Amino acid sequence: MPIYEYQCNACGHTLEALQKMSEDPLKTCPACQKDTLGKLVSATSFQLKGTGWYATDFKTKPQPAATTTSETKEPVKTEVKPAADTPSTKDKASDNT
């Protein structure tokens, strides 16, 4: 149930009332007993802070199409060594003449 804030237009008395939304607003001031109460518009206690609370907290991110166990393992380091006895193209050209 929401808490409504009222102020008397006659005496300036303010009060808060816990009421159902379907209930009629209060009219009689408890301090001066006049029918001059009016609802006040006040700030709520509910605040959204931060950037993109919906996008960061509730929105699902697209998952990769195929996930394998190799993606979760630490990458394996491999060394590529040049072949030791590979003749160069210059040597091949001189052999053909």
Side-chain angles (χ1 to χ4, degrees):
M1 285 196 299
I3 299 173
Y4 293 102
E5 212 172 356
Y6 292 92
Q7 183 174 17
C8 179
N9 294 329
C11 68
H13 178 72
T14 58
L15 67 121
E16 293 179 345
L18 183 66
Q19 294 180 292
K20 292 182 182 179
M21 293 179 75
S22 60
E23 288 183 44
D24 292 331
L26 300 178
K27 295 178 184 175
T28 307
C29 175
C32 68
Q33 303 301 318
K34 294 183 181 178
D35 290 337
T36 55
L37 274 184
K39 273 189 182 179
L40 296 176
V41 177
S42 58
T44 64
S45 60
F46 176 74
Q47 296 179 357
L48 298 176
K49 293 184 177 183
T51 57
W53 65 274
Y54 172 77
T56 57
D57 294 342
F58 300 106
K59 189 175 180 181
T60 58
K61 295 183 178 171
Q63 299 294 324
T67 57
T68 62
T69 57
S70 63
E71 291 177 0
T72 58
K73 291 183 180 178
E74 192 172 308
V76 177
K77 294 181 182 179
T78 57
E79 286 186 32
V80 178
K81 294 181 181 178
D85 294 330
T86 305
S88 68
T89 55
K90 186 176 182 182
D91 293 337
K92 286 184 183 178
S94 64
D95 289 340
N96 291 339
T97 53

